[in-house]
Amino acid sequence: MAIFFTADTHFGDPHILRHRGARHDSIAAHDAALVAAWNAVVGPEDTLWHLGDFAAGASRAHCAAIFAQLNGIKRLIRGNHDSNRVLDLPWAEPPADSARISVPDAQGREHRLFLSHYAHRAWPGLWRETRHLYGHSHGWLPDTSRSCDVGIDAWDDRPIAIDAILARQDAAELVPEEIARHGLR
């Protein structure tokens, strides 16, 4: 059982097509492509943390139909577009505004994570090597050595596992300001 992260799927949102350009010519094609990409990565027994904006502008029926097609044990960190039509879906746990979790990498080493829909410049556990995962920015914010966007716009339309996230953060040139001024990475 693996653990994956994603954000900003915006299922059912015709406005997202402007941001995603020529990648999809209709919202139906957009949603079908994202469902296929999700299910190609996430298995039925895997855990998926969705860091907000699961859907926008979609009906309750559309949200439920998409949700039912997606593999995995799904958890939600609420985003700015996640109204009751999303919050009322059968998530594994009630949606939260943020979460602090630990997950193992492929070698079994535990990594502390702070999950939020929004990017933070400082977050709980920053000084204790807690890494920060977020969405909302649609890949526009640069990664740091301890934080990155896990949304589909930053990861080729698919959920991502912790090892790829760690590699991207480790390769980042920017360091969170609060720790950089002390010479830390």
Side-chain angles (χ1 to χ4, degrees), residues 5-6 143 148-161 164-169:
F5 302 89
T6 197
D143 299 328
C148 71
D149 185 345
V150 296
I152 64 163
D153 299 293
W155 293 95
D156 298 324
D157 289 352
R158 69 189 192 290
I160 198 71
I165 293 166
L166 295 173
R168 183 177 276 186
Q169 289 178 346

PDB file of all heavy atoms in Angstrom, residues 5-6 143 148-161 164-169:
ATOM      1  N   PHE A   5      -0.015  11.875  -3.243  1.00  0.00           N
ATOM      2  CA  PHE A   5      -0.491  13.230  -2.989  1.00  0.00           C
ATOM      3  C   PHE A   5      -0.865  13.883  -4.308  1.00  0.00           C
ATOM      4  O   PHE A   5      -0.234  13.644  -5.339  1.00  0.00           O
ATOM      5  CB  PHE A   5       0.603  14.058  -2.302  1.00  0.00           C
ATOM      6  CG  PHE A   5       1.063  13.461  -1.006  1.00  0.00           C
ATOM      7  CD1 PHE A   5       2.095  12.537  -0.984  1.00  0.00           C
ATOM      8  CD2 PHE A   5       0.442  13.793   0.187  1.00  0.00           C
ATOM      9  CE1 PHE A   5       2.510  11.964   0.210  1.00  0.00           C
ATOM     10  CE2 PHE A   5       0.843  13.221   1.382  1.00  0.00           C
ATOM     11  CZ  PHE A   5       1.884  12.299   1.383  1.00  0.00           C
ATOM     12  N   THR A   6      -1.878  14.725  -4.259  1.00  0.00           N
ATOM     13  CA  THR A   6      -2.268  15.523  -5.416  1.00  0.00           C
ATOM     14  C   THR A   6      -3.072  16.718  -4.932  1.00  0.00           C
ATOM     15  O   THR A   6      -3.415  16.818  -3.749  1.00  0.00           O
ATOM     16  CB  THR A   6      -3.068  14.678  -6.447  1.00  0.00           C
ATOM     17  OG1 THR A   6      -3.074  15.371  -7.698  1.00  0.00           O
ATOM     18  CG2 THR A   6      -4.487  14.406  -5.990  1.00  0.00           C
ATOM     19  N   ASP A 143       9.704  25.491  -6.044  1.00  0.00           N
ATOM     20  CA  ASP A 143       9.936  24.574  -4.928  1.00  0.00           C
ATOM     21  C   ASP A 143      11.020  25.129  -4.017  1.00  0.00           C
ATOM     22  O   ASP A 143      11.869  25.908  -4.447  1.00  0.00           O
ATOM     23  CB  ASP A 143      10.426  23.211  -5.450  1.00  0.00           C
ATOM     24  CG  ASP A 143       9.425  22.541  -6.372  1.00  0.00           C
ATOM     25  OD1 ASP A 143       8.214  22.725  -6.181  1.00  0.00           O
ATOM     26  OD2 ASP A 143       9.875  21.814  -7.276  1.00  0.00           O
ATOM     27  N   CYS A 148       6.853  22.004  -1.556  1.00  0.00           N
ATOM     28  CA  CYS A 148       6.530  22.015  -2.984  1.00  0.00           C
ATOM     29  C   CYS A 148       5.044  21.800  -3.205  1.00  0.00           C
ATOM     30  O   CYS A 148       4.326  21.286  -2.352  1.00  0.00           O
ATOM     31  CB  CYS A 148       7.352  21.001  -3.769  1.00  0.00           C
ATOM     32  SG  CYS A 148       6.945  19.288  -3.491  1.00  0.00           S
ATOM     33  N   ASP A 149       4.621  22.213  -4.385  1.00  0.00           N
ATOM     34  CA  ASP A 149       3.256  22.064  -4.863  1.00  0.00           C
ATOM     35  C   ASP A 149       3.095  20.627  -5.353  1.00  0.00           C
ATOM     36  O   ASP A 149       3.883  20.150  -6.164  1.00  0.00           O
ATOM     37  CB  ASP A 149       3.040  23.052  -6.012  1.00  0.00           C
ATOM     38  CG  ASP A 149       1.632  23.113  -6.550  1.00  0.00           C
ATOM     39  OD1 ASP A 149       0.825  22.202  -6.268  1.00  0.00           O
ATOM     40  OD2 ASP A 149       1.341  24.072  -7.281  1.00  0.00           O
ATOM     41  N   VAL A 150       2.069  19.937  -4.864  1.00  0.00           N
ATOM     42  CA  VAL A 150       1.800  18.567  -5.315  1.00  0.00           C
ATOM     43  C   VAL A 150       0.608  18.509  -6.266  1.00  0.00           C
ATOM     44  O   VAL A 150       0.117  17.432  -6.591  1.00  0.00           O
ATOM     45  CB  VAL A 150       1.592  17.593  -4.131  1.00  0.00           C
ATOM     46  CG1 VAL A 150       2.855  17.476  -3.308  1.00  0.00           C
ATOM     47  CG2 VAL A 150       0.399  17.994  -3.277  1.00  0.00           C
ATOM     48  N   GLY A 151       0.162  19.664  -6.739  1.00  0.00           N
ATOM     49  CA  GLY A 151      -0.971  19.711  -7.650  1.00  0.00           C
ATOM     50  C   GLY A 151      -0.646  19.131  -9.011  1.00  0.00           C
ATOM     51  O   GLY A 151       0.518  19.025  -9.409  1.00  0.00           O
ATOM     52  N   ILE A 152      -1.688  18.782  -9.734  1.00  0.00           N
ATOM     53  CA  ILE A 152      -1.490  18.123 -11.021  1.00  0.00           C
ATOM     54  C   ILE A 152      -0.770  19.005 -12.031  1.00  0.00           C
ATOM     55  O   ILE A 152      -0.077  18.491 -12.908  1.00  0.00           O
ATOM     56  CB  ILE A 152      -2.817  17.601 -11.609  1.00  0.00           C
ATOM     57  CG1 ILE A 152      -3.765  18.740 -11.921  1.00  0.00           C
ATOM     58  CG2 ILE A 152      -3.455  16.596 -10.674  1.00  0.00           C
ATOM     59  CD1 ILE A 152      -4.877  18.340 -12.851  1.00  0.00           C
ATOM     60  N   ASP A 153      -0.883  20.329 -11.905  1.00  0.00           N
ATOM     61  CA  ASP A 153      -0.188  21.213 -12.839  1.00  0.00           C
ATOM     62  C   ASP A 153       1.327  21.159 -12.648  1.00  0.00           C
ATOM     63  O   ASP A 153       2.074  21.477 -13.568  1.00  0.00           O
ATOM     64  CB  ASP A 153      -0.679  22.653 -12.661  1.00  0.00           C
ATOM     65  CG  ASP A 153      -2.155  22.771 -12.954  1.00  0.00           C
ATOM     66  OD1 ASP A 153      -2.546  22.588 -14.116  1.00  0.00           O
ATOM     67  OD2 ASP A 153      -2.930  23.016 -12.010  1.00  0.00           O
ATOM     68  N   ALA A 154       1.761  20.759 -11.479  1.00  0.00           N
ATOM     69  CA  ALA A 154       3.197  20.659 -11.194  1.00  0.00           C
ATOM     70  C   ALA A 154       3.742  19.249 -11.430  1.00  0.00           C
ATOM     71  O   ALA A 154       4.960  19.047 -11.385  1.00  0.00           O
ATOM     72  CB  ALA A 154       3.456  21.079  -9.742  1.00  0.00           C
ATOM     73  N   TRP A 155       2.853  18.275 -11.670  1.00  0.00           N
ATOM     74  CA  TRP A 155       3.285  16.873 -11.756  1.00  0.00           C
ATOM     75  C   TRP A 155       2.647  16.119 -12.931  1.00  0.00           C
ATOM     76  O   TRP A 155       2.232  14.976 -12.807  1.00  0.00           O
ATOM     77  CB  TRP A 155       2.966  16.141 -10.445  1.00  0.00           C
ATOM     78  CG  TRP A 155       3.783  16.644  -9.302  1.00  0.00           C
ATOM     79  CD1 TRP A 155       3.418  17.593  -8.397  1.00  0.00           C
ATOM     80  CD2 TRP A 155       5.100  16.234  -8.943  1.00  0.00           C
ATOM     81  NE1 TRP A 155       4.420  17.802  -7.499  1.00  0.00           N
ATOM     82  CE2 TRP A 155       5.473  16.977  -7.805  1.00  0.00           C
ATOM     83  CE3 TRP A 155       6.001  15.314  -9.469  1.00  0.00           C
ATOM     84  CZ2 TRP A 155       6.714  16.833  -7.187  1.00  0.00           C
ATOM     85  CZ3 TRP A 155       7.233  15.162  -8.847  1.00  0.00           C
ATOM     86  CH2 TRP A 155       7.581  15.913  -7.727  1.00  0.00           C
ATOM     87  N   ASP A 156       2.558  16.746 -14.073  1.00  0.00           N
ATOM     88  CA  ASP A 156       2.081  16.066 -15.287  1.00  0.00           C
ATOM     89  C   ASP A 156       0.731  15.386 -15.109  1.00  0.00           C
ATOM     90  O   ASP A 156       0.532  14.243 -15.558  1.00  0.00           O
ATOM     91  CB  ASP A 156       3.120  15.065 -15.795  1.00  0.00           C
ATOM     92  CG  ASP A 156       4.421  15.728 -16.197  1.00  0.00           C
ATOM     93  OD1 ASP A 156       4.365  16.853 -16.743  1.00  0.00           O
ATOM     94  OD2 ASP A 156       5.492  15.142 -15.957  1.00  0.00           O
ATOM     95  N   ASP A 157      -0.179  16.060 -14.445  1.00  0.00           N
ATOM     96  CA  ASP A 157      -1.576  15.608 -14.314  1.00  0.00           C
ATOM     97  C   ASP A 157      -1.763  14.330 -13.513  1.00  0.00           C
ATOM     98  O   ASP A 157      -2.775  13.641 -13.667  1.00  0.00           O
ATOM     99  CB  ASP A 157      -2.226  15.416 -15.695  1.00  0.00           C
ATOM    100  CG  ASP A 157      -2.481  16.728 -16.409  1.00  0.00           C
ATOM    101  OD1 ASP A 157      -2.301  17.792 -15.797  1.00  0.00           O
ATOM    102  OD2 ASP A 157      -2.872  16.683 -17.584  1.00  0.00           O
ATOM    103  N   ARG A 158      -0.820  13.977 -12.647  1.00  0.00           N
ATOM    104  CA  ARG A 158      -0.970  12.714 -11.920  1.00  0.00           C
ATOM    105  C   ARG A 158      -0.588  12.880 -10.451  1.00  0.00           C
ATOM    106  O   ARG A 158       0.217  13.741 -10.114  1.00  0.00           O
ATOM    107  CB  ARG A 158      -0.134  11.628 -12.556  1.00  0.00           C
ATOM    108  CG  ARG A 158       1.346  11.825 -12.400  1.00  0.00           C
ATOM    109  CD  ARG A 158       2.172  10.847 -13.219  1.00  0.00           C
ATOM    110  NE  ARG A 158       3.568  10.863 -12.859  1.00  0.00           N
ATOM    111  CZ  ARG A 158       4.417  11.856 -13.103  1.00  0.00           C
ATOM    112  NH1 ARG A 158       4.000  12.938 -13.689  1.00  0.00           N
ATOM    113  NH2 ARG A 158       5.669  11.775 -12.740  1.00  0.00           N
ATOM    114  N   PRO A 159      -1.138  12.016  -9.607  1.00  0.00           N
ATOM    115  CA  PRO A 159      -0.701  11.990  -8.205  1.00  0.00           C
ATOM    116  C   PRO A 159       0.761  11.559  -8.127  1.00  0.00           C
ATOM    117  O   PRO A 159       1.280  10.887  -9.025  1.00  0.00           O
ATOM    118  CB  PRO A 159      -1.618  10.939  -7.573  1.00  0.00           C
ATOM    119  CG  PRO A 159      -2.814  10.892  -8.462  1.00  0.00           C
ATOM    120  CD  PRO A 159      -2.271  11.129  -9.850  1.00  0.00           C
ATOM    121  N   ILE A 160       1.394  11.910  -7.032  1.00  0.00           N
ATOM    122  CA  ILE A 160       2.834  11.672  -6.890  1.00  0.00           C
ATOM    123  C   ILE A 160       3.140  11.045  -5.535  1.00  0.00           C
ATOM    124  O   ILE A 160       2.477  11.336  -4.543  1.00  0.00           O
ATOM    125  CB  ILE A 160       3.601  12.999  -7.125  1.00  0.00           C
ATOM    126  CG1 ILE A 160       5.048  12.748  -7.417  1.00  0.00           C
ATOM    127  CG2 ILE A 160       3.362  13.970  -6.022  1.00  0.00           C
ATOM    128  CD1 ILE A 160       5.274  12.137  -8.773  1.00  0.00           C
ATOM    129  N   ALA A 161       4.151  10.196  -5.508  1.00  0.00           N
ATOM    130  CA  ALA A 161       4.568   9.516  -4.279  1.00  0.00           C
ATOM    131  C   ALA A 161       5.657  10.314  -3.567  1.00  0.00           C
ATOM    132  O   ALA A 161       6.304  11.186  -4.153  1.00  0.00           O
ATOM    133  CB  ALA A 161       5.063   8.107  -4.601  1.00  0.00           C
ATOM    134  N   ALA A 164       9.442  10.841  -5.078  1.00  0.00           N
ATOM    135  CA  ALA A 164       9.603  11.863  -6.114  1.00  0.00           C
ATOM    136  C   ALA A 164       9.529  13.264  -5.509  1.00  0.00           C
ATOM    137  O   ALA A 164      10.261  14.165  -5.923  1.00  0.00           O
ATOM    138  CB  ALA A 164       8.549  11.685  -7.198  1.00  0.00           C
ATOM    139  N   ILE A 165       8.664  13.438  -4.534  1.00  0.00           N
ATOM    140  CA  ILE A 165       8.550  14.729  -3.850  1.00  0.00           C
ATOM    141  C   ILE A 165       9.857  15.062  -3.139  1.00  0.00           C
ATOM    142  O   ILE A 165      10.381  16.174  -3.243  1.00  0.00           O
ATOM    143  CB  ILE A 165       7.370  14.714  -2.862  1.00  0.00           C
ATOM    144  CG1 ILE A 165       6.042  14.622  -3.629  1.00  0.00           C
ATOM    145  CG2 ILE A 165       7.395  15.926  -1.937  1.00  0.00           C
ATOM    146  CD1 ILE A 165       4.849  14.270  -2.769  1.00  0.00           C
ATOM    147  N   LEU A 166      10.402  14.102  -2.411  1.00  0.00           N
ATOM    148  CA  LEU A 166      11.662  14.319  -1.693  1.00  0.00           C
ATOM    149  C   LEU A 166      12.785  14.660  -2.663  1.00  0.00           C
ATOM    150  O   LEU A 166      13.602  15.556  -2.397  1.00  0.00           O
ATOM    151  CB  LEU A 166      12.029  13.077  -0.880  1.00  0.00           C
ATOM    152  CG  LEU A 166      11.076  12.709   0.264  1.00  0.00           C
ATOM    153  CD1 LEU A 166      11.468  11.367   0.860  1.00  0.00           C
ATOM    154  CD2 LEU A 166      11.032  13.791   1.325  1.00  0.00           C
ATOM    155  N   ALA A 167      12.843  13.966  -3.779  1.00  0.00           N
ATOM    156  CA  ALA A 167      13.894  14.230  -4.767  1.00  0.00           C
ATOM    157  C   ALA A 167      13.773  15.650  -5.317  1.00  0.00           C
ATOM    158  O   ALA A 167      14.775  16.352  -5.483  1.00  0.00           O
ATOM    159  CB  ALA A 167      13.823  13.208  -5.899  1.00  0.00           C
ATOM    160  N   ARG A 168      12.545  16.071  -5.593  1.00  0.00           N
ATOM    161  CA  ARG A 168      12.355  17.425  -6.112  1.00  0.00           C
ATOM    162  C   ARG A 168      12.739  18.464  -5.073  1.00  0.00           C
ATOM    163  O   ARG A 168      13.404  19.454  -5.392  1.00  0.00           O
ATOM    164  CB  ARG A 168      10.907  17.635  -6.542  1.00  0.00           C
ATOM    165  CG  ARG A 168      10.701  19.020  -7.156  1.00  0.00           C
ATOM    166  CD  ARG A 168       9.311  19.241  -7.651  1.00  0.00           C
ATOM    167  NE  ARG A 168       9.186  18.692  -8.988  1.00  0.00           N
ATOM    168  CZ  ARG A 168       8.100  18.845  -9.733  1.00  0.00           C
ATOM    169  NH1 ARG A 168       7.055  19.501  -9.271  1.00  0.00           N
ATOM    170  NH2 ARG A 168       8.044  18.342 -10.934  1.00  0.00           N
ATOM    171  N   GLN A 169      12.335  18.256  -3.826  1.00  0.00           N
ATOM    172  CA  GLN A 169      12.704  19.202  -2.780  1.00  0.00           C
ATOM    173  C   GLN A 169      14.219  19.214  -2.563  1.00  0.00           C
ATOM    174  O   GLN A 169      14.818  20.275  -2.399  1.00  0.00           O
ATOM    175  CB  GLN A 169      11.972  18.878  -1.482  1.00  0.00           C
ATOM    176  CG  GLN A 169      10.494  19.199  -1.536  1.00  0.00           C
ATOM    177  CD  GLN A 169       9.760  18.835  -0.269  1.00  0.00           C
ATOM    178  OE1 GLN A 169      10.259  18.110   0.582  1.00  0.00           O
ATOM    179  NE2 GLN A 169       8.541  19.339  -0.137  1.00  0.00           N
TER     180      GLN A 169
END
